[in-house]
Amino acid sequence: MALQNSTSRPIKTVSFHQTWSAYAFLAPALVILFLSLLLPAVATLLMSFTDVSFLKPTNFIGFDNYIKLFNDTRFQQAVGNTIHYTVGVTFPTMVLGLLAAVALNQNVPGRIAFRTIFYLPVLTSLIAAAVVWAYVYEPYAGPLNGVLTRVGLPPQPWLQNPSLAMNSLIIMAIWRDFGTAMIIYLAGLQDIPNDLYEAARLDGAKGKDIFLRITVPMLSSVTFYLLIILIVQTFQVFGAIYVMTQGGPLGSTETVVYQMYQTAFGYTEFGYSAAMSTILFLTILVFSIIGTRIMRRKDA
Amino acid sequence: MTDLAQPAAMERQITARRRGREFPRFDVMNVIGYLLLLFAALATVMPFLWMVSTSFKGDQEIFRFPPSFVPDGLRWQNYLDAMASPDAGRQLVNSLIYALGSTVSNLVFCSLAGYALARMQFSGRNLIFALVVGLLMVPAQSQIVPVFLIVQKIPFAGGNDWLGNGGTGLLNTYWGMILPTAATPFGIFMMRQFFTRIPMEYEESAKLDGASPFTIFRRILLPLARPSLAVLGVLSFQSAWNDFVWPLILNSHREMATLQIGLQLLQSGPDARWNVVMAMATLITLPVIIVYLLAQRHVIDGAVTSGVKG
């Protein structure tokens, strides 16, 4: 690299040398992003119009996959399950995160310890968490049923009952995610000027009013941002379901990504799976764009 | 998962610039609130306590109902059994190679690209930056099938011809595991934001001396970026170490399994013993928590000192 940059001044025209060396800096990262994100996004879209599979030659089949998808009752169930999961996880996570953040934003004894404890589940690997919760929910020797029996309540088949399984997964996800919400809310609370609280207190406002009239409105952009990232993340749930229920019982915990995985690697219907992936991608993209807009507005 | 990456970075900032608020007054509401807080903390650590307690139980004790909370004795044998389970050593090596490879390549590639986007003048800069920001929004999970097919079709790898046909490509290789995670839009974005904030004066004298862009990057800006690199490093390591889906899909060979896959195999196996599974889960979880607790302090110090300098 014998480039002479000593002559470079803040001038408008950019020399060939400068451009060349900048692209040398960028090249490795760009190649990786191209292979791991850009090309796959385009490939997914193209594949969704074919019947690509390992077993037979590929044909272009137009919108057949999408038509099939909209009439597929299993897919409809998966969409319903995914929405159930997303709504069930997102809102309690945000409420708990906000309450924890407001509580820990004060100088309570053991603040750092509380914060670390609430953040521990976020650090745990998804699989370790799923394995531990599979044990907690275990019907015959699991601690949850043990506690229920001890206080005189009937034990439940948490992951084996179709009407309980999804809610059991939701509780685990809330446990894992509310630390994230807490941290983001804590950052948001730091940005609220103290004068606002002091003025409110001088005017004789009560704690509840201060919370509802100052804290909550001032956090609205943080709340919206958090809502988006939680939706985007919970929409893509896979690992916990793979470990804990495998989509069962009776398909009651089968989500879109889990079905996508099954369709691609279980039945090798890559084209059909790509159509699911495209639907998922477009849905998530909408939420991501909204989220990015909000982030921009917050930075500005 | 870049979504989770930001809160961790934010938390460090919070700790760094936290100011003590006034102590809350002592009244009934505060006592109730504090009790709720204690309850929430207890509920949050409960699964961890069950994990550790079960990991010390004997083979009969785990089937006792209702289960005992405090184990009869400390059965360290479970930990030895977990470590002696087939391929455990191999899985540890695989996890380390994957996590370290992904971390190092992220540090190198993201800081190079971030530097170019922040500090160098070239045509197409805005376009590339817009591309990086756009790719931040692509959900990785929904792209897993085509990434698998691309990795399989890398030319000249694993017996492939120049068109990428005929062989297995990078399936069941470390390169295949690391490649899609070797640089992330989030990492590039973060490094670019950091380099943008460093004053121009730092490199101007070096430019007058005729130093090349790479020398300026390597000798002047990279040492300044140590706090950001630490954050990026911790996040990259954590996300690769905890990754499950990508190694699961990429690797069909048992000897390429990572610790996360190993834990899942151990748990779903026909002769799964909960005490050994929990010992394994404890062994996998502890390092990440310890590294985080240590790095948290280190990163905070870094943030404070770089704040003074900048």
Side-chain angles (χ1 to χ4, degrees), chain B residues 115-148:
Chain B
Y115 172 75
L117 287 173
R119 285 309 173 96
M120 295 169 92
Q121 300 292 328
F122 60 96
S123 43
R125 183 166 90 154
N126 292 337
L127 187 74
I128 296 208
F129 184 59
L131 180 77
V132 170
V133 173
L135 288 177
L136 267 174
M137 290 188 272
V138 175
Q141 221 60 311
S142 73
Q143 303 298 319
I144 209 103
V145 177
V147 173
F148 171 86

Side-chain angles (χ1 to χ4, degrees), chain A residues 177-195:
Chain A
D177 287 343
F178 88 96
T180 308
M182 173 192 72
I183 291 299
I184 293 179
Y185 272 130
L186 271 172
L189 286 171
Q190 301 285 307
D191 292 338
I192 301 178
N194 235 336
D195 325 7

Side-chain angles (χ1 to χ4, degrees), chain A residues 1 3-6 8 14 18-19 21-23 25-26 28-30 32-33 35-41 43-44 47 54 103-111 114-128 131-136 138-143 145-146 149-150 175-176 178 180 183-184 186-187 189-192 194 197 201 225 229 232-233 236 238-239 242-243 246 257 260-261 264-265 270 273 277 280-281 284-285 288-289 292 295-296, chain B residues 1 3-4 6-8 10-11 14-15 17-24 34 37-38 40-41 43-45 47-48 50-51 54 57 62-69 109-110 112-113 115-117 120-125 128 131-133 135 137-150 152 154 179-185 188 207-208 210-214 217 238 241-242 244-245 248-249 260 263-264 267 274 277-278 281 284-285 288-289 292-293 296:
Chain A
M1 295 272 271
L3 285 166
Q4 287 296 313
N5 256 22
S6 53
S8 73
V14 178
Q18 280 174 311
T19 300
S21 66
Y23 278 100
F25 274 74
L26 282 164
L30 288 184
I32 290 158
L33 293 192
L35 287 176
S36 66
L37 291 165
L38 197 60
L39 189 58
T44 306
M47 275 161 55
F54 281 146
L104 298 184
N105 197 40
Q106 293 157 7
N107 205 355
V108 294
R111 203 185 60 216
F114 279 120
R115 208 191 59 202
T116 309
I117 285 174
F118 292 150
Y119 201 64
L120 276 185
V122 181
L123 297 171
T124 320
S125 85
L126 188 89
I127 296 313
V131 165
V132 171
W133 277 83
Y135 172 67
V136 169
E138 221 274 324
Y140 305 111
N145 278 347
T149 316
R150 224 168 264 170
W175 171 80
R176 231 179 94 76
F178 88 96
T180 308
I183 291 299
I184 293 179
L186 271 172
L189 286 171
Q190 301 285 307
D191 292 338
I192 301 178
N194 235 336
Y197 288 108
R201 251 178 239 124
Y225 167 68
I229 69 163
V232 169
Q233 192 190 313
Q236 302 185 66
F238 173 81
Y242 183 88
V243 172
Q246 306 268 316
V257 174
M260 209 175 84
Y261 167 84
F265 297 103
F270 287 104
S273 146
S277 183
L280 183 77
F281 175 66
I284 289 172
L285 197 67
S288 296
I289 289 170
T292 317
M295 274 304 271
R296 286 253 181 76
Chain B
M1 287 292 259
D3 298 321
L4 279 179
Q6 273 150 317
M10 273 183 192
E11 187 194 32
I14 292 163
T15 328
R17 68 194 159 99
R18 169 162 270 290
R19 306 265 180 280
R21 296 262 155 110
E22 63 186 75
F23 199 87
Y34 199 71
L37 207 57
L38 280 175
T44 310
V45 287
F48 290 104
W50 276 113
M51 173 177 82
T54 310
K57 287 182 179 174
I62 47 173
F63 292 111
R64 195 183 296 162
F65 193 83
S68 55
F69 184 69
F109 298 152
C110 293
L112 278 171
Y115 172 75
L117 287 173
M120 295 169 92
Q121 300 292 328
F122 60 96
S123 43
R125 183 166 90 154
I128 296 208
L131 180 77
V132 170
V133 173
L135 288 177
M137 290 188 272
V138 175
Q141 221 60 311
S142 73
Q143 303 298 319
I144 209 103
V145 177
V147 173
F148 171 86
L149 296 174
I150 288 165
Q152 186 194 23
I154 299 274
L179 179 75
T181 57
T184 55
I188 297 170
K207 265 188 191 164
L208 289 177
S212 74
F214 187 75
F217 167 74
Q238 195 187 324
W241 179 266
N242 288 346
F244 173 71
V245 181
L248 171 79
I249 287 170
Q260 308 293 339
L263 177 62
Q264 195 268 328
Q267 186 249 346
W274 279 116
V277 172
M278 291 300 140
I284 291 179
T285 310
V288 182
I289 292 175
Y292 175 78
L293 292 177
Q296 197 182 16

Side-chain angles (χ1 to χ4, degrees), chain A residues 171-229:
Chain A
I171 289 172
M172 178 205 148
I174 295 170
W175 171 80
R176 231 179 94 76
D177 287 343
F178 88 96
T180 308
M182 173 192 72
I183 291 299
I184 293 179
Y185 272 130
L186 271 172
L189 286 171
Q190 301 285 307
D191 292 338
I192 301 178
N194 235 336
D195 325 7
L196 278 179
Y197 288 108
E198 271 154 28
R201 251 178 239 124
L202 284 178
D203 291 344
K206 292 212 173 56
K208 194 188 79 181
D209 291 329
I210 292 178
F211 178 74
L212 290 177
R213 301 279 172 91
I214 298 180
T215 310
V216 172
M218 287 299 284
L219 287 174
S220 60
S221 71
V222 178
T223 301
F224 223 80
Y225 167 68
L226 192 60
L227 181 72
I228 301 295
I229 69 163

